[in-house]
Amino acid sequence: MIIKFIKIIIFLFSLLVFLWPLTRPGLIAGHDTGARFVHVQMMAKALKDGQFPVRWVEGPSKGLSHPLFNYYPPGFYYPPAILTLLGIGLVPAVYITIVFFTIIGWLSMYFFVKKLVGALPALISASLFIFTPYRISQIYVRAAYGEFLATALIPWAFLAVYNLYNDYKRYNRYILLLAFSLAAIIILHQPTFIMILPALLAWIGYLWIIRASRKEMLISFLAIGVALLLAASFVIPLIGESQFIRPVGLSAGYFDFRQHFAAISQLIYSPWGYGVSQPGPNDGMSFQVGVLNWAIVAGAVGLLLYNLYKNYNRYNYYIFFLFLFLFSLFMSASASLPIWERFSILSYIQYPWRYLGVSALATSVLAGLVFYNLYNRYNHYKNYIFFLFFFLPILFNLKYLAPAAYLPADSFTFGSSRFPRSDPMAGLEPSYFPVQVGQINSDPSIPRFRLVQGKAKIKSLTDKITFQEFSAQVTTPAIIQINTHYFPGWQARIDNGKEVSLVTPGFNNTEGNIEITLTPGNYKVSLRFTNTPLRRLANYVSLGTALGLLILAIFPMPIQPRRLDEAKL
């Protein structure tokens, strides 16, 4: 009972220290803070209009509409958007989401390392995982909330694979855990999925070498496939409809990965800063792995060499996570350029130094392994060893828990006097605008429906993000422009007396806005954003997969795998 109480105290203490900057009044200033809060409000408006899954968004001004969440990972934005619709303020809604996933990240690392070597080492690993400099920068420097949430789920995936090889009593449970954690990573931050998938496959292969059982390996691969099917509502349109936007902008110019490799000296140590990544070694932000993380790696190498010299065969996990750490450093540095150029999918990671998220995973697990062996080797000093390992990550990195500045809470709230009027595109993503949009008109005074040719009287009836309706008394042939960008899925229904017809709206303007041509007469015109056949198929695949996993949870498969040899640590 006392041990459990101590664990709870340690858990709460870690979270309180890490999250303390969120308790101050105002909004933490970060690289992408504006974009995050604008996207949450866009998501909330779309949900309020009845759109799910959300693909088409609009704002902050009317007419600035684009299929953002058809391509940009929407996972982070659903929880705070729903919270705002329930009446919670914008800033608290975002910070509640961050708090929740910080807890999830701490628990994920704790339960993973606990399964490997026990509860006390797991406390050490969980502490280092959230206090690693790179993960601190995700929240307090870069405002990379989706990436922070995605990296928090990685240990769950590794735990699920481990238990697929070992925990036969809850075998089916871990198939579900692997599928759901990977699917969540995809819709939270697909660059993290691209980075972590090879590592996870290597983990599967590594356990197969130890275990020599093909069955568990095949089921692990099957669970990864199920994760892709579960995320199909996002993945299939992302790939199948990429020609309707300009995705080249996501990997060119500033976002060209060639400009963002970290220097070896920066990985060893670089001063903490709040600037952005730049070509060369003079970046405004830190790419350090972490002083204590490096000390853990050195300790792991020393223990591994010592025990190899002594002929102890108990350090297989050391080998795997040391190699994973070295791989992450290699991919962060320019030495890996040939690999980046060979595999074009890596270009969507944009910043090679994002592999520091993988090194955070590896060093955190190694911390638990090193602690486990020192704690058991030096029993007389075990209490000192525990407090040293637990408190040092916090003490060393406490100074980094200091955001550059706090902004007024309504700095990026739609309709606020503080919202950046000088930049109406604040928070928007030009690369995700439809390909035919050559000029973006951000003038908020432009009406939704306007006559551009002919004579007609127009009256607005309904004006929502994905459903717009107007009446028109047309005297001469007229072209009516709708201040909404055209994109596949928009359909128009024209009610002319007894005749109701469904037409595909077109566009013939530099803004790429929808246009409807009408002959003389009285009309009621409605436009609705619908799913294309591809999106409809993607939604059904995700829904069917989710139902299948629900059935698996209720009626588990009768599989009895053998136990993994626990001695190989």
Side-chain angles (χ1 to χ4, degrees):
M1 187 67 183
I2 295 178
I3 299 297
K4 287 185 178 180
F5 178 74
I6 293 175
K7 291 179 185 176
I8 292 172
I9 293 297
I10 290 173
F11 166 68
L12 294 176
F13 177 78
S14 300
L15 294 178
L16 181 63
V17 173
F18 181 80
L19 297 170
W20 187 255
L22 299 180
T23 64
R24 286 186 55 182
L27 179 63
I28 292 176
H31 296 172
D32 296 326
T33 299
R36 301 295 163 254
F37 282 84
V38 166
H39 293 169
V40 169
Q41 293 169 92
M42 288 177 170
M43 174 71 77
K45 287 173 62 178
L47 289 172
K48 188 176 181 180
D49 279 358
Q51 187 184 169
F52 186 84
V54 173
R55 301 184 186 278
W56 189 265
V57 295
E58 184 176 63
S61 298
K62 187 177 295 184
L64 294 178
S65 52
H66 59 312
L68 176 66
F69 292 123
N70 203 52
Y71 306 97
Y72 190 87
F76 164 74
Y77 302 98
Y78 280 108
I82 292 171
L83 290 174
T84 61
L85 293 176
L86 293 175
I88 296 176
L90 178 60
V91 175
V94 172
Y95 288 175
I96 286 171
T97 304
I98 293 173
V99 169
F100 177 75
F101 274 87
T102 302
I103 294 171
I104 292 295
W106 194 97
L107 292 175
S108 67
M109 181 58 71
Y110 173 80
F111 283 112
F112 177 42
V113 176
K114 180 183 179 183
K115 194 69 177 181
L116 293 179
V117 285
L120 284 180
L123 291 172
I124 303 303
S125 293
S127 174
L128 184 61
F129 188 53
I130 64 172
F131 284 100
T132 291
Y134 181 71
R135 299 203 72 230
I136 293 175
S137 74
Q138 288 175 331
I139 296 296
Y140 297 120
V141 176
R142 296 172 51 220
Y145 302 150
E147 183 181 352
F148 178 79
L149 272 56
T151 53
L153 297 176
I154 295 173
W156 287 120
F158 275 75
L159 172 65
V161 170
Y162 180 86
N163 281 302
L164 283 174
Y165 279 85
N166 186 46
D167 194 347
Y168 69 93
K169 291 182 180 178
R170 291 171 287 186
Y171 194 74
N172 296 276
R173 213 178 276 183
Y174 291 104
I175 294 176
L176 299 177
L177 179 60
L178 179 56
F180 278 106
S181 59
L182 286 181
I185 289 172
I186 292 171
I187 65 171
L188 282 166
H189 194 248
Q190 66 260 42
T192 296
F193 178 77
I194 295 171
M195 290 187 296
I196 204 61
L197 183 59
L200 191 65
L201 294 176
W203 179 238
I204 293 171
Y206 199 81
L207 292 177
W208 172 71
I209 292 173
I210 296 174
R211 180 68 183 275
S213 176
R214 190 179 303 172
K215 182 196 302 181
E216 286 80 1
M217 180 178 67
L218 293 176
I219 292 177
S220 298
F221 290 153
L222 175 64
I224 293 175
V226 171
L228 292 172
L229 294 177
L230 193 60
S233 64
F234 173 67
V235 173
I236 292 178
L238 169 68
I239 298 172
E241 296 185 338
S242 61
Q243 71 271 25
F244 300 130
I245 60 169
R246 296 185 177 93
V248 67
L250 302 173
S251 56
Y254 178 79
F255 300 109
D256 186 346
F257 63 83
R258 296 170 185 83
Q259 302 189 49
H260 300 288
F261 285 106
I264 298 299
S265 60
Q266 290 178 300
L267 296 172
I268 295 173
Y269 178 77
S270 51
W272 197 255
Y274 300 95
V276 297
S277 175
Q278 298 288 349
N282 299 316
D283 300 271
M285 57 183 291
S286 176
F287 300 135
Q288 60 172 298
V289 170
V291 174
L292 286 179
N293 300 68
W294 278 111
I296 290 297
V297 170
V301 171
L303 284 170
L304 176 64
L305 293 176
Y306 175 79
N307 286 281
L308 288 176
Y309 172 74
K310 291 292 187 178
N311 267 334
Y312 294 156
N313 185 26
R314 300 167 51 203
Y315 291 84
N316 291 322
Y317 296 142
Y318 272 111
I319 295 172
F320 177 84
F321 287 103
L322 280 171
F323 270 105
L324 183 60
F325 171 73
L326 293 175
F327 172 76
S328 69
L329 294 193
F330 173 71
M331 292 301 291
S332 300
S334 58
S336 62
L337 179 60
I339 295 178
W340 285 83
E341 293 182 332
R342 175 66 180 82
F343 298 98
S344 59
I345 192 173
L346 293 176
S347 65
Y348 292 102
I349 295 175
Q350 298 176 327
Y351 310 111
W353 42 258
R354 275 181 166 152
Y355 271 93
L356 288 170
V358 180
S359 72
L361 168 78
T363 54
S364 297
V365 175
L366 287 171
L369 298 177
V370 170
F371 169 80
Y372 172 78
N373 285 278
L374 293 179
Y375 187 84
N376 287 294
R377 187 183 298 270
Y378 302 104
N379 263 327
H380 295 298
Y381 306 101
K382 61 182 181 180
N383 291 333
Y384 297 105
I385 292 172
F386 175 79
F387 285 106
L388 183 69
F389 270 74
F390 176 76
F391 282 107
L392 277 183
I394 299 175
L395 294 175
F396 259 80
N397 300 312
L398 191 62
K399 58 183 178 293
Y400 302 143
L401 299 172
Y406 284 85
L407 306 173
D410 61 349
S411 294
F412 296 99
T413 302
F414 292 175
S416 165
S417 60
R418 291 190 176 92
F419 192 82
R421 296 179 182 274
S422 59
D423 183 13
M425 292 290 291
L428 302 185
E429 305 287 346
S431 294
Y432 297 108
F433 275 80
V435 68
Q436 74 275 0
V437 177
Q439 176 183 345
I440 299 174
N441 195 333
S442 58
D443 185 354
S445 65
I446 296 176
R448 178 72 74 183
F449 312 106
R450 57 178 171 162
L451 183 68
V452 294
Q453 183 177 314
K455 293 182 178 181
K457 291 183 178 180
I458 304 169
K459 181 181 179 181
S460 176
L461 301 177
T462 305
D463 188 355
K464 295 184 177 181
I465 296 173
T466 55
F467 180 70
Q468 295 146 20
E469 193 174 42
F470 66 93
S471 63
Q473 295 177 350
V474 181
T475 306
T476 65
I479 297 177
I480 298 172
Q481 188 177 114
I482 294 86
N483 192 17
T484 296
H485 296 124
Y486 175 74
F487 190 73
W490 276 107
Q491 293 182 335
R493 186 178 295 273
I494 300 175
D495 182 352
N496 181 13
K498 294 182 180 179
E499 181 183 356
V500 177
S501 59
L502 191 66
V503 300
T504 300
F507 61 91
N508 188 27
N509 50 78
T510 58
E511 291 89 359
N513 285 339
I514 296 174
E515 290 184 347
I516 300 289
T517 301
L518 299 174
T519 56
N522 296 324
Y523 298 91
K524 180 181 177 182
V525 182
S526 60
L527 295 101
R528 187 182 297 276
F529 183 71
T530 63
N531 282 317
T532 60
L534 185 68
R535 287 176 222 149
R536 194 174 298 114
L537 170 65
N539 291 343
Y540 286 145
V541 170
S542 289
L543 180 60
T545 304
L547 292 175
L549 291 175
L550 179 62
I551 293 172
L552 178 63
I554 299 172
F555 305 103
M557 295 186 300
I559 301 176
Q560 299 290 327
R562 294 168 296 165
R563 284 185 178 276
L564 183 65
D565 183 3
E566 297 286 355
K568 298 184 177 181
L569 300 175

